[in-house]
Amino acid sequence: MDRLYTAESVTAGHPDKMCDQISDAVLDAILREDPMARVACETCATTGLVLVMGEISTTTYVPIQDVARQVVLDIGYNRAKFGFDGHTCAVLTAFNEQSGDIAGGVDHALEGRAEGRRQTGAGDQGMMFGYATDETPERLPMPIALAHRLARRMDEVRRSRRLPWMRPDGKSQVSIAYRDGKPLSVRNVVISVHHDELVTQKEIREAMMEEVVRAVIPGHLLTEDTEYLVNPSGRFVIGGPAGDSGLTGRKIIVDAYGGFVPHGGGCFSGKDPTKVDRSGAYMARYAALNVLEAGLAKRCQVSLAYAIGRAHPVSFDVDTFGTGAVPDERIAEALTAVLDFSPDGIIGELDLRRPIYRQTAAYGHFGRTDLELPWENPCRAAEVKKAARG
């Protein structure tokens, strides 16, 4: 029996994604001058207003209002008729330092306190999941891989000015039929594109089909039964923060695996790498990719959980969904033998105290073949393979 899996993505001008990008731009600006900073930056936006807030402990100064405005302008919100303008919108800030109670647990992990040595503890409790599959070049489930490709293509077309009626906001969604665990065909595609008042829905549909859908989705996945829904509401003139408020961390499934695997619930954007809901998720993805690269499985999910103030995970699990070349327990043992899943180990392994985050805040944090991200480079595969095979 066929099973349907669906995933969505959004363009860079979606209000939630705009907020993610502002939060990560602030993080990058701080890490550029102060790699040891503690940052938990969140952003919300509505008509004519951006509010940047959170907890930051740093030795440097960053003009946060300027950073936020530049992100808004870079996205393309630079005229009032687009519903938002980075030149004229209000930008408010509200920040405190990181709680001393939290900082104490991060600075001095439980294990280090017991042994009289300094070790970084997890900045929060929570669960993280990493996943990799061989069904796409991105090593992502096909629904989310295609949804991201569609969203990125929409932005490319808009920025090229080939379709001058396009505006920054937009969404994509793809439903794929799987048979025997493998993607078979695309059942439906949803494209919602922000546009000006003069273009007709017929023009929009024809342009999106030609410039986006057929340019992105491989022909062998499309059938005569594939359904195409382009602006199914019939009109999308009011978009961006004028159409819907935005908030950092409200697109966590878009950021990860599209709902194909579990999600711990913690968002990524705006957080420095001591926050394991970000760095732990990156490390879990890195571990899963190394398992695939080592030829130990065709699908792999790595699950982690942490307690605030403790360095090492309180749980660790590997599931290869029956595709493993060796038992999952041996793969788990190999990963923990080769990789250090403590905050210090993760930060050192992936070199995370540097300004690399804003570029991840649109089109997903994983499977980014367009970027050089350390958690996407399975360079420890040979060691993992050797450890797993004894």
Side-chain angles (χ1 to χ4, degrees), residues 39-84:
V39 181
C41 177
E42 298 190 47
T43 305
C44 62
T46 188
T47 306
L49 173 67
V50 172
L51 171 61
V52 193
M53 56 193 170
E55 296 79 42
I56 296 177
S57 297
T58 181
T59 60
T60 192
Y61 167 77
V62 168
I64 291 175
Q65 290 188 343
D66 294 344
V67 171
R69 288 188 190 281
Q70 191 59 54
V71 171
V72 174
L73 294 171
D74 289 347
I75 290 170
Y77 287 116
N78 53 19
R79 301 182 66 181
K81 71 176 185 177
F82 296 166
F84 207 80

Side-chain angles (χ1 to χ4, degrees), residues 127-133 139-140 256-257 261-264 268 280-289 299-304 317-319 321 366:
M127 302 158 289
M128 301 89 215
F129 298 88
Y131 181 76
T133 174
R139 296 294 189 258
L140 290 177
Y257 306 100
V261 297
H263 195 294
F268 302 152
Y282 290 169
M283 191 65 164
R285 164 70 171 180
Y286 179 68
L289 280 175
R299 296 171 60 198
C300 181
Q301 176 181 293
V302 175
S303 308
L304 301 171
D317 182 69
V318 171
D319 188 351
F321 307 94
F366 307 121

Side-chain angles (χ1 to χ4, degrees), residues 191-239:
I191 298 289
S192 293
V193 57
H194 185 195
H195 59 86
D196 71 18
E197 291 185 301
L198 301 179
V199 67
T200 67
Q201 293 302 312
K202 181 176 183 292
E203 290 174 301
I204 292 171
R205 179 181 176 84
E206 290 175 352
M208 290 297 99
M209 289 298 299
E210 182 64 26
E211 295 283 354
V212 177
V213 176
R214 294 194 180 98
V216 165
I217 299 181
H220 72 274
L221 293 173
L222 302 175
T223 73
E224 60 183 15
D225 296 322
T226 302
E227 181 181 26
Y228 306 97
L229 298 169
V230 179
N231 279 15
S233 69
R235 179 179 165 91
F236 192 0
V237 172
I238 301 173

Side-chain angles (χ1 to χ4, degrees), residues 106-349:
V106 176
D107 290 338
H108 304 283
L110 179 65
E111 298 93 324
R113 277 177 274 154
E115 300 170 8
R117 59 187 174 83
R118 185 160 184 150
Q119 186 176 20
T120 302
D124 203 350
Q125 68 178 39
M127 302 158 289
M128 301 89 215
F129 298 88
Y131 181 76
T133 174
D134 66 356
E135 67 188 57
T136 64
E138 296 95 331
R139 296 294 189 258
L140 290 177
M142 188 168 285
I144 189 66
L146 292 182
H148 283 322
R149 292 183 208 173
L150 289 168
R152 186 182 297 113
R153 177 64 179 173
M154 290 167 69
D155 275 337
E156 290 172 356
V157 172
R158 173 179 61 86
R159 288 180 169 132
S160 73
R161 303 293 298 164
R162 285 201 297 278
L163 301 175
W165 48 261
M166 289 185 72
R167 300 292 181 257
D169 200 352
K171 286 185 170 185
S172 62
Q173 184 172 287
V174 181
S175 297
I176 293 183
Y178 278 70
R179 183 174 297 170
D180 299 326
K182 298 183 181 298
L184 180 66
S185 63
V186 174
R187 287 291 177 87
N188 58 65
V189 179
V190 183
I191 298 289
S192 293
V193 57
H194 185 195
H195 59 86
D196 71 18
E197 291 185 301
L198 301 179
V199 67
T200 67
Q201 293 302 312
K202 181 176 183 292
E203 290 174 301
I204 292 171
R205 179 181 176 84
E206 290 175 352
M208 290 297 99
M209 289 298 299
E210 182 64 26
E211 295 283 354
V212 177
V213 176
R214 294 194 180 98
V216 165
I217 299 181
H220 72 274
L221 293 173
L222 302 175
T223 73
E224 60 183 15
D225 296 322
T226 302
E227 181 181 26
Y228 306 97
L229 298 169
V230 179
N231 279 15
S233 69
R235 179 179 165 91
F236 192 0
V237 172
I238 301 173
D244 191 8
S245 62
L247 182 65
T248 297
R250 205 156 56 183
K251 285 291 177 283
I252 59 174
I253 303 302
V254 171
D255 287 341
Y257 306 100
F260 205 90
V261 297
H263 195 294
C267 85
F268 302 152
S269 291
K271 297 177 179 177
D272 75 80
T274 66
K275 278 73 171 177
V276 288
D277 37 8
R278 179 173 215 162
S279 56
Y282 290 169
M283 191 65 164
R285 164 70 171 180
Y286 179 68
L289 280 175
N290 274 286
V291 170
L292 258 68
E293 183 69 17
L296 296 173
K298 294 182 178 296
R299 296 171 60 198
C300 181
Q301 176 181 293
V302 175
S303 308
L304 301 171
Y306 290 86
I308 188 168
R310 176 170 164 170
H312 294 285
V314 297
S315 73
F316 183 91
D317 182 69
V318 171
D319 188 351
T320 62
F321 307 94
T323 70
V326 299
D328 290 352
E329 294 79 6
R330 286 180 59 183
I331 295 176
E333 291 170 359
L335 287 173
T336 54
V338 173
L339 302 174
D340 180 353
F341 289 87
S342 70
D344 286 334
I346 295 170
I347 292 169
E349 177 77 25

